[in-house]
Amino acid sequence: MTSQVDSFALTDEEHDLLPSDSDVQFYLEHGWFLSPRIFSDAEVDLLVTASEQFYAGHRDRVLPVRPARLAYWEPSAGAVQRHNDYIHYESAAIGEILRKPLIGAIAARLAQADAIRIFQSTLIYKPAQPAEETNIVPWHFDRHYWATSTSERMLTAFLPFHDCDEEMGTITMVDGSHRWQEIGGNDATSRHFADRDRTQLEEMLRENAEANGTEVRKVPMIIPKGHVSFHHCRTYHGSGANVSDRPRRAISLHLQDGDNAYREFKLSDGSQVSYNHDVLVRRQADGTPDYSDPEYCPTIWRG
């Protein structure tokens, strides 16, 4: 079975939803973009239904092995924030919606790329429990965790399953931070935010803003149902507690341009950094992981 898409045609109506030149310029300056409505109520409601089936134990297929850093909530973890990686692989219904060519075409316009592939997808459920510590996502940017990727144009689409605002702990961007010259990078920055001290991450954000002669300007994404926010792989972002009376449901869809490939990346002690894909994807002729493997990294747009 393959996840590869063979047709990337858009309808006339979908063409009208692509970012304009001014939208692309905004993304390049600010590091984020809020799309118009690109998913119907029926598509989003199907994501809810399929996610509930997934939480109840349904899998269309399962990963052949579990990578060491796999985020994979199971009921035994309790009422914490749920993260489940590779949802596009394990759920056929969700995977089909995430491979919608329009989302790839929008990403291609923003990243100025000829092709877009899925890099990772994470199903997220933030319970309506304001005091739950796992609900707080500290400041970070995604490129830190993709050290084995060559591209600097990767981006993430955040797709909530409902209207999403500050009350629900929506994703919040640090405006323009993707253009900062980073200081203080070290071995620790390649570790996931869940493995790092939140106070240290807050201080790292402040120090980087100061070093770049600017202030931290936080922009909460107010996302209506069916709309999607996009952000650059170097845009600092995070999210607060869900203080509403209902769970915040979403998918974080990480996207790679067609030029992205695996590279070897070592820490200061000589140890090799690895990404979850590295034990899953097929091998290239030289034996290195192939980040264009259609089973795990399907192409969703080719211009």
Side-chain angles (χ1 to χ4, degrees):
M1 178 178 177
T2 181
S3 302
Q4 188 67 53
V5 174
D6 297 319
S7 174
F8 305 103
L10 300 181
T11 66
D12 290 341
E13 292 79 7
E14 288 175 326
H15 271 288
D16 292 338
L17 299 175
L18 293 177
S20 65
D21 289 345
S22 61
D23 290 333
V24 173
Q25 187 59 39
F26 181 93
Y27 173 80
L28 294 175
E29 292 179 4
H30 295 268
W32 56 271
F33 170 72
L34 181 61
S35 81
R37 184 181 180 88
I38 62 175
F39 287 101
S40 67
D41 281 349
E43 288 174 313
V44 179
D45 292 345
L46 179 57
L47 289 173
V48 175
T49 299
S51 66
E52 282 302 303
Q53 292 171 343
F54 179 86
Y55 291 137
H58 174 79
R59 305 289 188 274
D60 292 294
R61 53 182 179 171
V62 297
L63 295 174
V65 296
R66 286 203 172 189
R69 286 295 307 151
L70 183 70
Y72 208 88
W73 177 88
E74 292 177 312
S76 59
V80 297
Q81 183 171 194
R82 310 175 189 178
H83 282 225
N84 288 90
D85 291 340
Y86 294 98
I87 189 63
H88 69 286
Y89 180 90
E90 294 201 333
S91 169
I94 292 176
E96 181 177 359
I97 292 176
L98 296 184
R99 293 192 301 274
K100 184 172 184 172
L102 177 57
I103 199 168
I106 291 173
R109 280 280 291 157
L110 297 175
Q112 301 179 334
D114 293 328
I116 292 291
R117 301 190 299 261
I118 289 178
F119 189 69
Q120 180 59 274
S121 63
T122 304
L123 180 65
I124 305 171
Y125 180 105
K126 182 180 285 195
Q129 296 188 20
E132 173 53 50
E133 282 293 312
T134 60
N135 276 353
I136 307 298
V137 175
W139 302 108
H140 67 285
F141 63 74
D142 301 327
R143 185 68 176 91
H144 275 153
Y145 315 129
W146 301 337
T148 56
S149 286
T150 58
S151 176
E152 293 290 340
R153 292 187 290 168
M154 296 171 72
L155 66 166
T156 295
F158 180 75
L159 167 57
F161 299 174
H162 42 67
D163 293 344
C164 192
D165 57 16
E166 289 185 83
E167 183 184 33
M168 301 196 78
T170 190
I171 189 170
T172 298
M173 310 299 178
V174 177
D175 194 57
S177 54
H178 67 303
R179 296 186 295 155
W180 294 354
Q181 183 68 40
E182 186 186 14
I183 63 165
N186 53 45
D187 288 357
T189 56
S190 66
R191 300 205 320 261
H192 194 267
F193 61 76
D195 297 329
R196 302 189 64 196
D197 181 84
R198 189 185 304 165
T199 302
Q200 290 179 347
L201 290 169
E202 186 80 34
E203 180 64 13
M204 183 175 71
L205 173 64
R206 186 196 65 76
E207 290 178 351
N208 271 283
E210 185 177 276
N212 282 271
T214 189
E215 297 180 350
V216 176
R217 179 172 176 262
K218 301 173 182 177
V219 182
M221 295 289 99
I222 310 304
I223 311 171
K225 182 178 180 180
H227 298 238
V228 177
S229 77
F230 292 79
H231 62 268
H232 188 276
C233 63
R234 287 189 174 271
T235 299
Y236 274 98
H237 59 284
S239 66
N242 179 7
V243 299
S244 75
D245 60 358
R246 58 204 183 282
R248 195 203 74 176
R249 303 169 182 263
I251 286 176
S252 187
L253 180 61
H254 303 306
L255 301 166
Q256 56 177 324
D257 55 276
D259 292 333
N260 185 51
Y262 171 85
R263 69 173 181 183
E264 187 177 80
F265 190 91
K266 293 184 177 181
L267 300 177
S268 60
D269 63 1
S271 61
Q272 175 67 41
V273 172
S274 65
Y275 185 71
N276 286 340
H277 288 344
D278 300 350
V279 298
L280 291 170
V281 298
R282 67 190 180 187
R283 285 330 200 221
Q284 302 184 93
D286 62 0
T288 57
D290 183 0
Y291 287 175
S292 66
D293 183 344
E295 289 294 326
Y296 300 99
C297 304
T299 299
I300 63 172
W301 177 255
R302 186 176 293 115

